[in-house]
Amino acid sequence: MRLGIAGSCRQLCPSVRSKSLSAALQPISSPWLRNVSEGQRRIRRHAVHSIVAQQEAPKPSRPGKPTYTADIEGSPFAELGLKDIQDGMGKVRIRQHVNPLESRFQQPTAAPDWSAIYSNPQLPLFVDMGCGPGRFLLLLCKRHRQLQQPINCLGLEIRQQLVERANKWAQELNYDSQVHYLFTNVSVSLSGLLQDYPGPIATLSAQFPDPLFKKRHKKRRMVQQSVVQAARDLLMPGGHIFLQSDIYDAVTA
């Protein structure tokens, strides 16, 4: 850099000697160059440390197997053992946000044959609206079996890939006689879907539904007036509504 500056100055002032010009520039250029060199050395050291850390990091015991944070040790759902039965199912790739107002979601879902889904359709029913991956109902069923208080569990979810995988989990864990998942739009189908259930509907839950903060998107929220009205009509006397959210407006209508 000093040679470039000196060359330019000689062209402008041919009478200036290059040695004296270099001596004049030395106090200005040297500290800057030292700082640049030190910065480059730090960057190189950081790069080397990063490479070494990556090489020394423990490798997964089963490469290629999908890892789900909810199933690792320390998670409330780890006791289900889903981490051990997911091999071969593949990783489910889904869209996190679905527009329930799309025309393909406006057709009401017909009620299933309850006796084909549950071994005892007379048991009280726990309905999880917008159940997502479905782990909660599997753990709930396990708890009730341990307490010898059997119930039936129904998960309603608008993302079909999650429904298909959750039903596979229930079958693998031998909970499929009491836990089932349906692909449906809760806002459209809740009332017609459950009105013919043979037993009492004990609990309806909505856990952390998509808050959809934008004003123009609020009509897409799962908890709408139609859902509140259906819940009031479907619940048994003394039934429960179980709501969880970190956004108050997401569970009010």
Side-chain angles (χ1 to χ4, degrees):
M1 182 173 177
R2 282 180 289 172
L3 292 178
I5 295 174
S8 300
C9 291
R10 279 199 301 271
Q11 292 177 1
L12 295 174
C13 306
S15 60
V16 178
R17 294 184 179 181
S18 59
K19 289 185 179 180
S20 59
L21 181 60
S22 299
L25 291 173
Q26 186 69 23
I28 301 175
S29 59
S30 293
W32 183 84
L33 290 174
R34 283 198 299 271
N35 292 338
V36 171
S37 299
E38 179 61 25
Q40 291 174 343
R41 284 195 294 272
R42 290 179 181 176
I43 293 173
R44 284 196 295 268
R45 285 199 299 268
H46 177 73
V48 170
H49 292 328
S50 299
I51 294 172
V52 171
Q54 291 175 4
Q55 292 174 348
E56 294 178 352
K59 304 298 181 184
S61 57
R62 303 179 70 176
K65 181 179 179 181
T67 301
Y68 299 89
T69 305
D71 301 320
I72 63 174
E73 185 177 354
S75 165
F77 302 109
E79 63 181 88
L80 291 172
L82 294 177
K83 187 176 180 181
D84 299 326
I85 67 174
Q86 289 183 71
D87 206 13
M89 289 188 181
K91 186 173 182 179
V92 176
R93 300 187 64 180
I94 59 168
R95 292 186 62 182
Q96 293 299 318
H97 301 281
V98 176
N99 182 4
L101 300 180
E102 290 183 17
S103 57
R104 61 192 176 113
F105 296 131
Q106 297 309 303
Q107 186 68 26
T109 303
D113 181 358
W114 299 109
S115 60
I117 291 178
Y118 300 117
S119 59
N120 182 3
Q122 300 295 330
L123 290 175
L125 183 66
F126 187 108
V127 182
D128 193 15
M129 303 177 293
C131 64
R135 293 178 178 87
F136 173 80
L137 290 182
L138 296 174
L139 188 58
L140 181 68
C141 180
K142 181 178 180 178
R143 290 285 187 270
H144 276 266
R145 283 190 179 183
Q146 292 170 344
L147 297 172
Q148 297 183 353
Q149 298 175 354
I151 61 172
N152 290 332
C153 299
L154 180 67
L156 305 179
E157 175 57 44
I158 199 170
R159 291 166 291 184
Q160 190 169 7
Q161 301 97 319
L162 291 181
V163 171
E164 293 171 353
R165 187 183 65 181
N167 280 321
K168 290 180 182 178
W169 284 349
Q171 186 175 9
E172 290 288 336
L173 295 172
N174 197 27
Y175 291 159
D176 54 324
S177 62
Q178 291 178 256
V179 181
H180 191 73
Y181 302 88
L182 288 176
F183 166 57
T184 187
N185 184 349
V186 170
S187 302
V188 173
S189 302
L190 182 63
S191 180
L193 188 62
L194 298 177
Q195 63 183 357
D196 294 329
Y197 180 72
I201 298 177
T203 306
L204 290 170
S205 73
Q207 303 183 63
F208 302 98
D210 192 340
L212 295 165
F213 293 105
K214 294 182 179 180
K215 186 175 180 180
R216 67 176 184 274
H217 290 164
K218 288 185 178 180
K219 57 187 176 182
R220 300 182 184 180
R221 287 179 175 175
M222 184 180 67
V223 180
Q224 301 285 344
Q225 285 291 340
S226 60
V227 174
V228 175
Q229 178 68 37
R232 188 187 68 176
D233 296 339
L234 291 169
L235 280 173
M236 59 178 276
H240 295 88
I241 295 286
F242 177 53
L243 303 175
Q244 286 194 100
S245 179
D246 47 4
I247 306 297
Y248 177 79
D249 291 342
V251 290
T252 58

